[in-house]
């Protein structure tokens, strides 16, 4: 049956990829999966971001935390924008080389199904898309937070403080020099 569906509806897509996509989106559709994903992402961000920042330089923890919070805000906004784009339209995530877990593009994303809103295959795609949205928000939040902390540390290593350090941090993040 899966082979027939793959040949008739998903022309050119191997039945193994179709089976994997349906299975993967099926296991992602439960709310417990999303609670665990968001909780795990939040814990990872806190543990590797803020605690790592404190552990590396406790004497300047406040300065680094301020930078981490600024980066978190920037990254969260970017993640929301890109995550919504992916959720609505599917396809790739800007700034990422893969669009799905394990680097495989879901077979469900490779085909636009006839029937629009009445075709259930169009809804199966969204289980994977919402998880990609969650991961995109976390990825960009962590990336910007860590980048901002590193830029703050580089500015401090250059002996800069106050507004000069903030200006240099912005230059490093925006690559203006």
């Amino acid at each position: 049956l899966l082979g027939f569906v793959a040949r008739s509806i998903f022309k050119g897509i191997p039945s193994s990829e179709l089976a994997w996509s349906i299975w993967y989106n099926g296991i992602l559709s439960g709310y417990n999966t999303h609670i665990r994903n968001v909780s795990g992402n939040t814990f990872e961000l806190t543990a590797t971001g803020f605690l790592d920042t404190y552990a590396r330089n406790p004497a300047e923890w406040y300065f680094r935390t301020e930078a981490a919070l600024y980066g978190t805000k920037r990254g969260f906004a970017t993640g929301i924008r890109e995550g919504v784009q992916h959720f609505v339209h599917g396809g790739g995530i800007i700034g990422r080389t893969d669009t799905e877990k394990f680097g495989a593009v879901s077979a469900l994303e490779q085909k636009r199904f006839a029937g629009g809103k009445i075709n259930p295959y169009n809804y199966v795609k969204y289980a994977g898309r919402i998880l990609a949205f969650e991961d995109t928000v976390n990825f960009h939040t962590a990336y910007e937070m860590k980048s901002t902390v590193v830029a703050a540390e580089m500015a401090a290593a250059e002996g800069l403080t106050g507004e000069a350090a903030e200006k240099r941090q912005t230059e490093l993040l925006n690559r203006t020099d």
Side-chain angles (χ1 to χ4, degrees), residues 85-94 98-100 105 109 129 132:
Q85 184 73 13
H86 176 74
F87 181 75
V88 172
H89 302 291
I93 298 171
I94 300 167
D98 56 8
T99 59
E100 294 289 332
V105 176
E109 291 290 353
R129 285 184 183 185

Side-chain angles (χ1 to χ4, degrees), residues 93-144:
I93 298 171
I94 300 167
R96 302 280 301 267
T97 56
D98 56 8
T99 59
E100 294 289 332
K101 297 285 187 180
F102 312 115
V105 176
S106 171
L108 299 173
E109 291 290 353
Q110 295 178 35
K111 171 110 174 89
R112 185 170 180 90
F113 302 104
K117 293 181 180 179
I118 61 170
N119 189 329
Y121 280 113
N122 285 316
Y123 292 103
V124 174
K125 296 177 182 183
Y126 287 96
R129 285 184 183 185
I130 191 71
L131 199 67
F133 168 83
E134 295 162 4
D135 289 344
T136 299
V137 171
N138 182 65
F139 171 80
H140 284 290
T141 302
Y143 179 82
E144 287 291 334

Side-chain angles (χ1 to χ4, degrees), residues 32-177:
N32 284 334
T33 301
H34 299 287
I35 291 171
R36 286 184 183 125
N37 187 47
V38 171
S39 301
N41 286 346
T42 303
F43 176 76
E44 185 271 335
L45 181 65
T46 303
T48 63
F50 291 103
L51 297 179
D52 180 53
T53 299
Y54 177 76
R56 284 191 290 148
N57 198 343
E60 296 187 23
W61 184 75
Y62 175 77
F63 174 65
R64 303 295 191 264
T65 301
E66 185 179 23
L69 289 172
Y70 174 72
T72 299
K73 183 179 85 168
R74 268 175 59 134
F76 186 77
T78 301
I80 291 290
R81 280 192 309 274
E82 290 191 19
V84 166
Q85 184 73 13
H86 176 74
F87 181 75
V88 172
H89 302 291
I93 298 171
I94 300 167
R96 302 280 301 267
T97 56
D98 56 8
T99 59
E100 294 289 332
K101 297 285 187 180
F102 312 115
V105 176
S106 171
L108 299 173
E109 291 290 353
Q110 295 178 35
K111 171 110 174 89
R112 185 170 180 90
F113 302 104
K117 293 181 180 179
I118 61 170
N119 189 329
Y121 280 113
N122 285 316
Y123 292 103
V124 174
K125 296 177 182 183
Y126 287 96
R129 285 184 183 185
I130 191 71
L131 199 67
F133 168 83
E134 295 162 4
D135 289 344
T136 299
V137 171
N138 182 65
F139 171 80
H140 284 290
T141 302
Y143 179 82
E144 287 291 334
M145 179 187 69
K146 291 173 184 177
S147 297
T148 306
V149 169
V150 169
E153 290 173 350
M154 290 172 69
E158 294 173 8
L160 302 172
T161 59
E163 287 185 29
E166 287 180 24
K167 181 180 178 195
R168 180 65 178 140
Q169 178 180 321
T170 301
E171 288 173 356
L172 289 167
L173 290 171
N174 295 325
R175 297 179 184 97
T176 58
D177 57 12

